[in-house]
């Protein structure tokens, strides 16, 4: 069994890790998503191994990344931007509105369970539980970043920042596991035939939340936290 911990980040100099690729070449995120390669919590995995696991060649994947880059859509590099700018971006793009969105999703999951529970009780009740747990995990996590970690980074208080990130990677992993569960329970967000409007909206909302949280966790684990560790 190969090790995939952070200590092994540089074992594959030719390919590097999935997280490295997503950090250095932000357009890669779209390509990784398309192939179902986890780039946030699984970001420490060697790229060649992650590619092999989904049956795509590393070079094929890199060519696809180049093609997306050549289309020139957005893609900001955060590995060199000042850390306060990265934090501003995380807050504006991923923190703002998340609590309200989680409330909306939990309410929809509850409504779909109430109305359609008898049709598909186990799946819909499990999905409702997953949404409740996601909200319960994320709200204190966002608050901790906003009140502890981010101010420490802005103040260049490295000791405080290091102490704050210790538990956060594990919290991200718990969120990643809940997203995997949501994806599984929804058939990878495939709307069942004849689903009502709320059911559709719930599947769509969860799919967007999944993509948003993966990008969010990637920027924290593989960029912000990695940069803080490298500074230490
Ligand atoms: Fe965050
Ligand atoms: Fe986070």
């Amino acid at each position: 069994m190969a090790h995939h911990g952070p200590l092994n980040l540089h074992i594959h100099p030719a390919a590097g890790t999935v997280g490295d690729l997503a950090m250095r070449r932000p357009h890669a995120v779209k390509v990784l998503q398309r192939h179902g390669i986890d780039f946030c919590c699984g970001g420490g995995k060697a790229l060649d191994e992650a590619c092999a696991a989904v049956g795509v060649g590393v070079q094929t994947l890199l060519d696809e990344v180049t093609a997306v880059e050549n289309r020139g859509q957005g893609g900001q590099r955060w590995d060199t931007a000042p850390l306060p700018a990265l934090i501003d971006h995380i807050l504006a793009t991923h923190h703002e509105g998340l609590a309200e969105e989680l409330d909306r999703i939990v309410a929809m999951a509850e409504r779909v369970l109430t109305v359609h529970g008898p049709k598909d009780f186990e799946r819909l009740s499990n999905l409702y539980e997953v949404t409740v747990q996601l909200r319960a995990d994320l709200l204190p996590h966002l608050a901790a970043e906003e009140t502890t970690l981010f101010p420490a980074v802005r103040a260049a208080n490295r000791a405080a920042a290091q102490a704050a990130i210790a538990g956060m990677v594990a919290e991200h992993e718990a969120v990643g596991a809940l997203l995997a569960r949501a994806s599984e329970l929804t058939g990878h967000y495939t709307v069942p035939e004849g689903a009502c409007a709320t059911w559709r909206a719930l599947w769509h909302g969860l799919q967007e939340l999944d993509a948003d949280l993966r990008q969010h966790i990637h920027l924290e684990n593989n960029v912000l936290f990695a940069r803080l560790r490298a500074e230490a």
Side-chain angles (χ1 to χ4, degrees), residues 33 63 80 91 111-112 118 194 199 203 209-210 214-215 225:
Q33 282 170 332
D63 290 346
T80 49
L91 286 170
R111 177 162 171 79
V112 171
W199 196 320
W203 256 232
L209 180 73
D210 184 309
R214 282 176 199 284
Q215 179 67 18
F225 298 178

Side-chain angles (χ1 to χ4, degrees), residues 90 95 141-142 145 150 216 220:
I90 290 172
H95 279 223
H141 175 81
L142 297 176
E145 287 176 345
F150 294 170
H216 181 175
E220 291 174 354

Side-chain angles (χ1 to χ4, degrees), residues 92-122:
T93 312
H94 300 293
H95 279 223
E96 216 167 276
L98 181 54
E100 293 75 16
E101 182 60 7
L102 288 164
D103 285 343
R104 192 180 77 92
I105 285 174
V106 170
M108 289 192 294
E110 189 176 16
R111 177 162 171 79
V112 171
L113 173 62
T114 306
V115 177
H116 302 287
K119 254 189 266 174
D120 203 351
F121 184 75
E122 201 176 325

Side-chain angles (χ1 to χ4, degrees), residues 24-180:
R24 290 185 208 294
R25 301 177 67 182
H27 291 96
V29 164
K30 273 187 198 163
V31 176
L32 293 167
Q33 282 170 332
R34 197 189 299 147
H35 289 289
I37 295 175
D38 177 16
F39 61 93
C40 66
C41 294
K45 196 168 194 176
L47 182 62
D48 51 3
E49 287 175 24
C51 284
V54 298
V56 62
V58 175
Q59 195 52 52
T60 306
L61 183 123
L62 293 175
D63 290 346
E64 289 175 23
V65 175
T66 305
V68 176
E69 285 168 343
N70 290 342
R71 288 203 292 274
Q73 302 152 330
Q76 162 89 31
R77 279 185 66 143
W78 291 111
D79 53 338
T80 49
L83 291 179
L86 171 59
I87 289 174
D88 288 342
H89 171 75
I90 290 172
L91 286 170
T93 312
H94 300 293
H95 279 223
E96 216 167 276
L98 181 54
E100 293 75 16
E101 182 60 7
L102 288 164
D103 285 343
R104 192 180 77 92
I105 285 174
V106 170
M108 289 192 294
E110 189 176 16
R111 177 162 171 79
V112 171
L113 173 62
T114 306
V115 177
H116 302 287
K119 254 189 266 174
D120 203 351
F121 184 75
E122 201 176 325
R123 176 156 82 136
L124 294 177
S125 58
N126 284 337
L127 189 61
Y128 170 67
E129 292 301 329
V130 166
T131 65
V132 169
Q133 192 60 48
L134 264 175
R135 181 173 62 180
D137 282 4
L138 277 166
L139 295 184
H141 175 81
L142 297 176
E145 287 176 345
E146 290 170 16
T147 60
T148 311
L149 175 64
F150 294 170
V153 176
R154 287 191 204 277
N157 183 343
R158 286 180 192 156
Q162 291 294 330
I165 62 177
M168 284 173 179
V169 174
E171 290 169 7
H172 289 164
E173 258 158 42
V175 169
L178 287 168
L179 292 176

